[in-house]
Amino acid sequence: MSEARSVNLAHQPQSWSKILGETIKTGIIRSNLIVMFAGLSVALYTNHINPLDKIAEIILAILGSSLVIGAAGTLNNIYDRDIDSIMDRVKNRPTVTGAITLAQALWLGGGMSVLGLALLWLASPLAALFGFLGLFAYSVAYTMWSKRHTIYNTEIGSLSGAMPPLIGWAAITSDFNMGALGLFVVMLLWQMPHFYAIAIRRHDEYKAAGIPMLPVVKGFRRTYLQTNVYLVALIASSFLFMSLSVWVVVIALILSIAWLVMSIVGYRRMQPEKWATSLFIFSLNHVTVLFSVIILYSIIGSFL
């Protein structure tokens, strides 16, 4: 009786909220909003602007960014239906199973794109421009072209992931400084070791789907070496935060150096998959800790 009930429950249709969440990738929206808010908060702090004076821009940036990021995720799901069906990690996405129709997904992605860019435009035209560039880079340059054709797909895709801090910054001011550059460069560099780790963990799935990820085409050793090159560059980029705070620089250095040490030591002692898993987990802690510190430091400082 209980076994039969389990089977029936397993075949019950998903709720629309769950289908929507998996289609627009709410997890990616949340993580990118943290990065966007870091750019926004640094802009407030370095330009001596009280956050209460920019409430409208802050709300528009949050809503607009959420919609644009969700639109990019939706369009990615639509285009990648064929390869997603081969990969265990994503084979149950609504766009693969048919829980959401192609027409519904297209309307959803298109509507979110237009509305999101409109809201960012109301915050500032420059924020809308960065939002459009991020959407184009992810949906077209990465999803529709580089992901299936070159081992440098991660580098090309990283451009879209580095746009959220610029969107947040531009929603507050158009005057750029080293703080804005630091956020952009750190996010650009951070993504390579993060996604290389994912590519190793899912090596067999990417290979089956014919996706030319670096470890699939060039092997684990090349991926390890390239990971370390980007981690060294990430360490150097920490000094771009000098205009913000020496303490932020120190924290960024500690986190990035620890990541490099973990990579070198772990590669010698672990199997590639286990090594990649440890780097993947640390990458999440790295970005969470660093950007949380930046946000707290900037928000508190902007009120003082």
Side-chain angles (χ1 to χ4, degrees), residues 1 34 48 58 88 93 117 120-122 134 151 154 158 162 172 183 203 223 246-247 259 261 288:
M1 181 71 174
I34 293 173
H48 311 290
I58 292 172
D88 288 339
R93 282 177 172 170
L117 291 174
L120 289 179
W121 181 273
L122 292 176
I151 61 171
T154 303
S158 68
I172 302 301
L183 293 170
H203 173 275
T223 307
V246 66
W247 293 111
W259 197 356
V261 171
T288 301

Side-chain angles (χ1 to χ4, degrees), residues 165-300:
L166 296 184
I167 294 173
W169 181 281
I172 302 301
T173 179
S174 59
D175 296 328
F176 282 83
N177 65 16
M178 293 299 289
L181 178 63
L183 293 170
F184 174 79
V185 172
V186 165
M187 278 308 302
L188 197 70
L189 297 172
W190 174 88
Q191 292 174 84
M192 264 64 80
H194 172 76
F195 285 108
Y196 288 163
I198 294 175
I200 290 177
R201 295 175 70 209
R202 300 291 180 177
H203 173 275
D204 293 345
E205 293 182 37
Y206 281 115
K207 185 176 181 179
I211 304 302
M213 302 301 291
L214 183 64
V216 172
V217 179
K218 297 295 184 178
F220 295 153
R221 176 69 178 175
R222 164 68 179 273
T223 307
Y224 162 71
L225 294 174
Q226 202 156 310
T227 292
N228 290 348
V229 169
Y230 282 116
L231 289 177
V232 170
L234 190 62
I235 292 170
S237 70
S238 301
F239 293 99
L240 293 172
F241 293 125
M242 190 63 75
S243 62
L244 179 61
S245 167
V246 66
W247 293 111
V248 173
V249 173
V250 169
I251 291 171
L253 280 172
I254 292 173
L255 289 169
S256 298
I257 291 172
W259 197 356
L260 177 62
V261 171
M262 177 181 289
S263 174
I264 295 172
V265 175
Y267 186 80
R268 295 173 180 173
R269 298 180 178 179
M270 304 175 185
Q271 292 297 317
E273 291 78 7
K274 188 174 181 181
W275 170 77
T277 298
S278 67
L279 260 63
F280 171 74
I281 293 172
F282 190 87
S283 71
L284 299 177
N285 292 326
H286 177 286
V287 74
T288 301
V289 172
L290 178 59
F291 280 84
S292 294
V293 168
I294 290 173
I295 291 170
L296 288 173
Y297 180 87
S298 301
I299 290 296
I300 292 173

